[in-house]
Amino acid sequence: MSSPRTDFLSGVRVSVPILLGIVPFGMVAGVAAVGAGIPAVEALAMSVVIFAGASQLAAAELVGRNAPAVVVVFTVLVINLRMVMYSASIAPYFARQSARWKAGLSYLLTDQAYAVSLLQFERDEETSRRWYYLGVAVPLWVVWQMATVAGIALGSGVPDGWQLDFAVPLVFLAVLVPAVTDRATAAAALVGGGVAVVANGLPYNLGLITAAVVGIVTGLLVEEVA
Amino acid sequence: MAGTDYGSLALWAVILAAGVGTFAFRFSFIALFGRLDDVPEGVERALRFVPAAVLAALVAPDLVYADGAVAFTPANPRLLAGAVAAAVAWRTEDIAATLVAGMATLWMLAFAVP
């Protein structure tokens, strides 16, 4: 039987391993912010207001290098442009929520909440969209903030030798691999990754967006041919 | 520790601008959806490839670059650790297992190859 409570709890269950992954990620975000000279309150505000790890890391790095404010904001937005695609992709499932709920659910939208929820929504029509999504997204938000605070508290006390920043691509990798289900998605991933490597030097992280667009077009073309 | 010349006011301005913009991205289609009749079919087909393309684009540079240059060799510990993690992800589809395998491989390589 599907009820708000059981749907919320099954969302929580699925989020647990993801939480293990974002703890080091959040700590790295906190450590990086403090390392760049950002005061603790502002460092935590980045996590609460922006709530998007990769872009927070980029912002901290640029602030540390005294890049112009416009460049910092622009870089954060370019990195987070993919959220528009997630928003479009998940929107049909939230169509019947009130405007206020839509705003709240949107604030919690992340790579992980998107990927996990979409998978479940496609698989099971019965699941309560709102409660399952909240079950995944709310623990992610809480743990992310706690991990950031832990990172801020540790400051630069974490030795670089631990290479905790490597947890970031590993989490993305763990979500990426199951997303590759056929030739077309494999082509999208290979070309997206390849272009990202080649275009890595582009300013303002434009390489990421270029790679995403080229990868998506490749997937469409391969699907057309197959 | 690196300092920044950013004052508190400038930092808050950056954080708020970046936060409001990011929220607008997240809210965009979710807010619009009830008012549009339907997502166009072409858009829907393209969206199927978003996770694979974007995630691969996020991951690949982190694995392939070492000290600012492309290092597509077994001597690049992150490439090797990433390959092990990808194999574990493929077998288990488990985020925690992937994370442990990847970090453990990286640490072993850092320890073995000083």
Side-chain angles (χ1 to χ4, degrees), chain A residues 170-210:
Chain A
L170 289 176
V171 172
F172 291 144
L173 200 59
V175 182
L176 164 66
V177 170
V180 175
T181 51
D182 55 13
R183 275 224 319 244
T185 44
L190 279 173
V191 172
V195 172
V197 170
V198 174
N200 197 38
L202 288 183
Y204 313 128
N205 290 293
L206 279 172
L208 176 66
I209 295 302
T210 309

Side-chain angles (χ1 to χ4, degrees), chain B residues 52-76:
Chain B
V54 174
L55 291 168
L58 280 169
V59 170
D62 282 339
L63 300 186
V64 170
Y65 278 86
D67 301 322
V70 173
F72 214 72
T73 70
N76 174 359

Side-chain angles (χ1 to χ4, degrees), chain A residues 42 51 66-67 87 109 197, chain B residues 4-6 8 26 48 65 107:
Chain A
E42 283 85 344
F51 186 47
N66 287 315
S87 183
L109 192 61
V197 170
Chain B
T4 177
D5 298 336
Y6 269 77
S8 184
R26 288 171 161 141
R48 187 165 88 82
Y65 278 86
W107 286 336

Side-chain angles (χ1 to χ4, degrees), chain A residues 1 16 18 45 53-54 64 79-80 86 91 98 152 159 163 175-176:
Chain A
M1 262 309 280
V16 169
I18 306 176
I79 293 177
N80 291 338
Y86 297 159
S98 69
I152 293 168
Q163 307 194 68
V175 182
L176 164 66

Side-chain angles (χ1 to χ4, degrees), chain A residues 17-18 20-21 34-39 41-42 45-46 49-52 63-64 66-69 72-73 76-77 80-92 94-95 102-103 106-107 109 114 156 162-163 165-167 169-178 182 184-185 188-189 192-193 196-197 200 208 211-212 215-216 219-220 223-224, chain B residues 1-35 39 42-43 45-65 70 77-79 81-83 85-86 89-91 93-96 98-103 106-107 110:
Chain A
I18 306 176
L20 294 176
V34 174
I38 298 173
V41 174
E42 283 85 344
M46 283 176 72
V49 177
I50 303 175
F51 186 47
V63 166
N66 287 315
V72 181
V73 174
V76 168
L77 294 183
N80 291 338
L81 200 51
R82 67 188 189 284
M83 302 291 180
V84 175
M85 301 190 259
Y86 297 159
S87 183
S89 168
I90 209 164
F94 293 152
K102 281 182 177 176
S106 298
Y107 167 66
L109 192 61
Y114 161 75
S156 46
W162 288 15
Q163 307 194 68
D165 60 313
F166 193 58
L170 289 176
V171 172
F172 291 144
L173 200 59
V175 182
L176 164 66
V177 170
D182 55 13
T185 44
V197 170
N200 197 38
L208 176 66
I216 290 163
L220 286 167
E223 192 180 48
E224 201 77 18
Chain B
M1 185 178 294
T4 177
D5 298 336
Y6 269 77
S8 184
L9 202 66
L11 269 177
W12 276 102
V14 164
I15 291 166
L16 287 178
V20 168
T22 302
F23 175 76
F25 288 166
R26 288 171 161 141
F27 197 35
S28 56
F29 277 87
I30 290 174
L32 277 172
F33 191 78
R35 292 168 212 189
V39 176
V43 175
R45 280 183 46 223
L47 289 171
R48 187 165 88 82
F49 299 105
V50 169
V54 174
L55 291 168
L58 280 169
V59 170
D62 282 339
L63 300 186
V64 170
Y65 278 86
V70 173
R78 293 195 167 206
L79 190 61
W90 186 64
R91 287 295 298 260
E93 300 205 349
D94 186 294
I95 292 173
T98 305
L99 197 70
V100 169
M103 289 310 297
L106 188 68
W107 286 336

Side-chain angles (χ1 to χ4, degrees), chain A residues 2-117:
Chain A
S2 182
S3 73
R5 191 167 169 274
T6 56
D7 287 338
F8 181 83
L9 288 178
S10 56
V12 173
R13 246 191 315 277
V14 177
S15 80
V16 169
I18 306 176
L19 297 177
L20 294 176
I22 67 160
V23 166
F25 190 177
M27 287 174 65
V28 169
V31 170
V34 174
I38 298 173
V41 174
E42 283 85 344
L44 179 59
M46 283 176 72
S47 267
V48 173
V49 177
I50 303 175
F51 186 47
S55 69
Q56 286 176 225
L57 286 173
E61 191 180 299
L62 289 171
V63 166
R65 285 197 260 139
N66 287 315
V70 175
V71 171
V72 181
V73 174
F74 186 68
T75 303
V76 168
L77 294 183
V78 168
I79 293 177
N80 291 338
L81 200 51
R82 67 188 189 284
M83 302 291 180
V84 175
M85 301 190 259
Y86 297 159
S87 183
S89 168
I90 209 164
Y93 297 104
F94 293 152
R96 280 197 261 146
Q97 306 295 330
S98 69
R100 198 172 300 183
W101 269 105
K102 281 182 177 176
L105 299 174
S106 298
Y107 167 66
L108 293 172
L109 192 61
T110 54
D111 297 297
Q112 295 86 349
Y114 161 75
V116 168
S117 299

